[in-house]
């Protein structure tokens, strides 16, 4: 998950300016004759069809090379993709640690690949003003699988949150049929059994659990967390999942715009009472020495070492890290067991935010519109990222070679010789490392059946519990004009910087929460009222167009 620091936001603003000077294309989408861009395209292509270009095609793509499964040109994925589609992808492989910066440099210089995946909204907004990226919403009629899923899964309200002032959006997101909650706490269940503590259901229960652990092990911090890199609250997972229970997008789920449905207006997240309550909860845990204060600054390796050595018993996790890391880390501790617990509930009760139905997605370079194969490229994108068959291929590979059965009737099984996450953990081959399938660049989104196909029985039980929760309404759209966005980006950077700094101080007890009003006044001095005013002006304008 990627969120922008102040430095990244300022760099993004600079990128937009450079892109503007570069002027990637003079083409007006409304005047483009697509009949001249159909080389290699299929006639009558519709949802459910196998896309295959009518002539061999090659498209460049920016490829995030994941540290866990670095890019290999010999992956079977590449040859099989060409066999099925008559399209060869030409990857520009970039390490994950450099991906955002490299993308900014390449897009700004006008030499980015045609396809630019692994982009998290609103990162695409930095490139809109200069015309560097395509208004993809203008061309979704060329994408029948995508359009079908948006309609059947009622995703238009979610997409409205991506829309710009011109009513268009510039990022093709991964789309989920339902809300998927993955991140939560991993807890040493053997310790719970030893202490006679029940599995916590609420954040208050978590406090009770941690207190009992502290009584039994007074020299230790029960919870010492990971995922605080870069070392700032803005990149913190614990703040994110606690914030969900209070109804705010905090930590690495940060969204500065808080929709107050009662008032019918947007507010600034970091100045809301809900944010204050979330900070109060975390500060109490730290003050009681139930949470390691290093949880908000330490590296993942340090957190994992503490968990592996038995110095801590709780940390954030997802389904993959539970199996691939946490369980392996404690394997040398006699009798140690660990499990994901259902995401604890807070004041918002048994509910989940609506925003994870859209996932990281794909930008398309504006220069693609000059390509005679443009229509074929859009059909290819539609098949690989949005068709059931394309998603099945990208995630699981080839039937009879890496899997058997179907996800729709739950007969799917990963081949015994292949492992992935918690499936076939002792198999000799790895689906990602050795085959190139289940690569996060291509395999995301999809139906609930597709999602469930990757889960062990344990994770399916977790998801069944999450599916019992209600989904909160999607906030309304508030698209900004180019001028508003430029100003708001700078204002948000200054506000976010201060929120991050003071969040850490409040949580660690370096600043008392009795100074909350003074903190809000400091935010106002950094442009809070102007920023919120811009959001609400944009909302009223957008509402009038609906």
């Amino acid at each position: 998950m990627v969120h922008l620091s102040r430095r990244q936001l300022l760099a993004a603003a600079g990128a937009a300016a450079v892109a503007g000077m570069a002027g990637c294309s003079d083409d007006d989408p409304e005047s483009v004759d697509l009949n001249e861009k159909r080389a290699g395209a299929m006639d009558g292509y519709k949802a459910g069809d196998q896309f295959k270009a009518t002539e061999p095609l090659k498209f460049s793509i920016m490829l995030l090379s994941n540290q866990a499964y670095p890019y290999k040109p010999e992956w079977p994925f590449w040859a099989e993709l060409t066999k099925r589609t008559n399209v060869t992808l030409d990857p520009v492989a970039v390490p994950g640690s450099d991906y955002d910066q490299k993308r900014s440099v390449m897009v700004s210089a006008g030499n980015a690949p045609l396809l630019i995946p692994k982009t998290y909204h609103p990162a695409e907004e930095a490139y809109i003003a200069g015309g560097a990226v395509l208004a993809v919403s203008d061309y979704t009629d060329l994408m029948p699988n995508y359009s079908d899923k948006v309609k059947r899964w009622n995703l238009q309200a979610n997409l409205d949150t991506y829309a710009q002032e011109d009513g268009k959006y510039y990022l093709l997101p991964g789309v989920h049929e339902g809300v998927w909650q993955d991140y939560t706490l991993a807890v040493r269940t053997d310790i719970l059994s030893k202490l006679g503590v029940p599995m916590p259901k609420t954040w208050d229960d978590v406090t009770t659990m941690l207190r009992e652990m502290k009584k039994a092990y007074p020299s230790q911090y029960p919870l010492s967390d990971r995922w605080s890199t870069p070392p700032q609250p803005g990149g913190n997972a614990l703040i994110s999942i606690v914030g969900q229970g209070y109804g705010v997008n905090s930590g690495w789920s940060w969204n500065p715009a808080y929709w107050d449905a009662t008032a019918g207006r947007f507010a600034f997240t970091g100045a809301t009472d809900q944010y204050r309550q979330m900070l109060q909860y975390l500060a109490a845990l730290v003050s009681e020495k139930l949470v390691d204060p290093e949880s908000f600054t330490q590296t993942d390796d340090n957190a994992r070492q503490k968990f592996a050595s038995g110095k801590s018993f709780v940390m954030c996790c997802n389904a993959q890290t539970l199996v691939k890391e946490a369980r392996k880390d404690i394997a040398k501790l006699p009798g140690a067991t660990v499990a994901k617990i259902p995401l604890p509930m807070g004041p918002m009760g048994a509910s989940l935010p609506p925003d994870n139905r859209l996932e990281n997605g794909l930008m398309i370079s504006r220069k693609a519109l000059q390509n005679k194969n443009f229509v074929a490229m859009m059909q290819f994108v539609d098949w690989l990222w949005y068709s059931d068959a394309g998603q099945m291929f990208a995630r699981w590979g080839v039937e009879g070679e890496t899997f058997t059965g179907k996800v729709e009737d739950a007969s799917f099984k990963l081949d015994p010789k292949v492992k992935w996450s918690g499936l076939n953990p002792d198999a000799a081959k790895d689906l990602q490392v050795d085959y190139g399938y289940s690569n996060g660049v291509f395999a995301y989104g999809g139906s609930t059946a597709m999602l469930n196909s990757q889960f062990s029985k344990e994770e399916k039980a977790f998801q069944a519990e999450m599916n019992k929760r209600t989904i909160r309404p999607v906030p309304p759209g508030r698209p900004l004009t180019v001028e508003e966005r430029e100003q708001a980006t700078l204002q948000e950077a200054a506000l976010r910087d201060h929120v991050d700094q003071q969040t850490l101080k409040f949580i660690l007890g370096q600043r008392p929460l009795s100074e909350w009003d003074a903190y809000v006044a400091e935010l106002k001095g950094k442009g809070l009222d102007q920023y919120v005013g811009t959001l609400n002006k944009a909302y009223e304008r957008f509402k009038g167009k609906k």
Side-chain angles (χ1 to χ4, degrees):
M1 190 173 282
V2 177
H3 296 276
L4 297 178
S5 66
R6 181 173 186 264
R7 177 177 54 81
Q8 289 169 318
L9 283 164
L10 290 171
V18 174
M21 290 186 288
C24 293
S25 173
D26 294 325
D27 292 328
D28 179 356
E30 295 183 0
S31 65
V32 172
D33 184 358
L34 292 181
N35 290 322
E36 298 178 356
K37 314 290 183 181
R38 295 192 61 87
M42 290 177 59
D43 291 331
Y45 173 68
K46 61 184 183 299
D49 287 350
Q50 168 63 54
F51 169 77
K52 190 160 190 176
T54 59
E55 60 185 66
L57 301 177
K58 179 180 286 190
F59 301 125
S60 58
I61 183 170
M62 190 166 179
L63 186 86
L64 185 149
S65 183
N66 194 300
Q67 184 178 7
Y69 46 94
Y71 162 70
K72 294 178 182 177
E74 65 270 19
W75 276 336
F77 170 84
W78 303 116
E80 184 66 29
L81 179 65
T82 300
K83 176 182 174 183
R84 294 187 181 208
T85 65
N86 211 14
V87 171
T88 299
L89 287 178
D90 182 17
V92 177
V94 180
S97 58
D98 298 330
Y99 193 79
D100 288 349
Q101 182 179 6
K102 183 73 170 178
R103 179 185 60 207
S104 178
V105 170
M106 295 185 75
V107 174
S108 301
N111 60 2
L114 295 179
L115 304 177
I116 313 165
K118 288 305 267 191
T119 299
Y120 291 81
H121 177 73
E124 80 279 7
E125 293 181 352
Y127 312 110
I128 294 172
V133 294
L134 196 66
V136 289
S137 57
D138 282 333
Y139 304 100
T140 55
D141 59 319
L142 301 176
M143 304 177 65
N145 290 289
Y146 172 83
S147 300
D148 175 64
K149 285 178 167 60
V150 168
K151 182 178 180 180
R152 284 194 294 113
W153 295 348
N154 298 314
L155 287 166
Q156 190 56 54
N158 300 75
L159 288 170
D160 281 347
T161 65
Y162 280 37
Q164 303 302 308
E165 197 274 336
D166 58 8
K168 303 176 182 183
Y169 55 92
Y170 293 74
L171 178 72
L172 283 171
V175 295
H176 287 276
E177 181 177 6
V179 167
W180 172 33
Q181 177 64 40
D182 188 10
Y183 291 85
T184 184
L185 295 177
V187 177
R188 281 277 300 278
T189 46
D190 60 308
I191 300 295
L192 293 185
S193 297
K194 178 180 178 180
L195 301 178
V197 176
M199 191 74 78
K201 295 181 179 179
T202 68
W203 285 109
D204 287 342
D205 292 342
V206 170
T207 301
T208 300
M209 174 189 73
L210 296 176
R211 284 172 177 164
E212 292 301 314
M213 290 175 170
K214 186 69 175 179
K215 285 180 186 178
Y217 302 89
S219 64
Q220 299 178 208
Y221 291 109
L223 193 162
S224 186
D225 211 17
R226 61 181 307 173
W227 288 328
S228 291
T229 305
Q232 61 179 19
N236 188 272
L238 181 61
I239 295 175
S240 172
I241 62 172
V242 173
Q244 286 188 39
Y246 287 84
V248 288
N249 290 91
S250 52
W252 72 5
S253 299
W254 170 260
N255 185 327
Y258 174 84
W259 174 245
D260 186 336
T262 302
R265 291 179 60 79
F266 282 97
F268 182 69
T269 296
T272 60
D273 192 54
Q274 290 81 355
Y275 197 85
R276 182 192 61 78
Q277 292 176 34
M278 180 268 296
L279 292 179
Q280 188 173 35
Y281 175 81
L282 287 168
L285 295 184
V286 171
S287 69
E288 291 188 43
K289 298 185 177 180
L290 305 179
V291 169
D292 184 353
E294 293 182 356
S295 294
F296 306 96
T297 54
Q298 70 186 344
T299 65
D300 285 8
D301 286 344
N302 283 346
R304 289 179 62 187
Q305 287 168 9
K306 292 174 183 178
F307 194 75
S309 63
K311 291 182 179 179
S312 67
F313 311 121
V314 185
M315 68 177 178
C316 283
C317 78
N318 60 28
Q320 287 200 53
T321 59
L322 175 72
V323 175
K324 288 188 171 183
E325 297 177 359
R327 286 190 173 144
K328 290 183 178 179
D329 289 346
I330 62 170
K332 294 181 180 180
L333 298 176
T337 55
V338 60
K340 273 177 82 172
I341 67 170
L343 181 68
M345 295 177 284
M348 296 300 292
S351 66
L352 293 172
D355 45 356
N356 62 3
R357 292 188 69 199
L358 301 184
E359 202 169 343
N360 74 82
L362 185 76
M363 291 191 298
I364 296 178
S365 172
R366 178 70 177 272
K367 65 187 178 185
L369 204 56
Q370 304 168 22
N371 194 311
K372 66 177 182 178
N373 306 123
F374 175 73
V375 173
M377 188 191 74
M378 296 301 290
Q379 291 177 346
F380 168 77
V381 167
D382 179 65
W383 180 84
L384 180 56
W385 275 277
Y386 298 103
S387 76
D388 293 342
Q391 290 176 340
M392 191 71 186
F393 163 71
R395 187 179 297 277
W396 295 123
V398 179
E399 187 172 8
E401 293 183 12
T402 54
F403 75 90
T404 58
K406 301 180 182 300
V407 299
E408 293 80 10
D409 60 11
S411 63
F412 166 84
K413 290 188 184 305
L414 189 62
D415 189 280
K417 72 176 183 293
V418 181
K419 63 184 174 184
W420 183 84
S421 192
L423 303 179
N424 304 335
D426 298 322
K429 294 283 190 178
D430 186 290
L431 189 68
Q432 295 170 312
V433 174
D434 298 306
Y435 291 89
Y437 300 120
S438 279
N439 187 313
V441 172
F442 305 103
Y444 52 81
S447 66
T448 299
M450 180 72 71
L451 184 67
N452 286 340
S453 70
Q454 66 184 313
F455 295 148
S456 63
K457 290 182 179 179
E458 176 185 21
E459 181 62 17
K460 286 178 181 177
F462 174 87
Q463 291 299 328
E465 190 64 31
M466 293 296 96
N467 289 339
K468 294 176 184 178
R469 302 189 181 183
T470 59
I471 308 304
R472 299 168 204 161
V474 178
R478 43 161 187 85
L480 307 180
T481 65
V482 172
E483 294 78 13
E484 287 171 339
R485 190 187 309 112
E486 290 176 353
Q487 182 62 33
T489 297
L490 295 174
Q491 289 172 335
E492 187 198 333
L495 292 167
R496 174 74 183 276
D497 232 11
H498 196 64
V499 169
D500 279 351
Q501 293 169 12
Q502 302 310 307
T503 290
L504 191 57
K505 289 182 178 180
F506 283 132
I507 291 174
L508 297 182
Q510 297 169 356
R511 184 175 188 178
L513 276 159
S514 59
E515 294 186 9
W516 178 259
D517 289 344
Y519 155 76
V520 173
E522 291 159 9
L523 290 174
K524 289 184 177 182
K526 296 180 181 297
L528 181 149
D529 289 338
Q530 298 94 315
Y531 178 78
V532 172
T534 298
L535 297 185
N536 284 304
K537 179 182 177 182
Y539 160 64
E540 293 293 339
R541 185 173 60 233
F542 185 69
K543 183 173 66 172
K545 294 179 180 179
K546 296 295 286 183

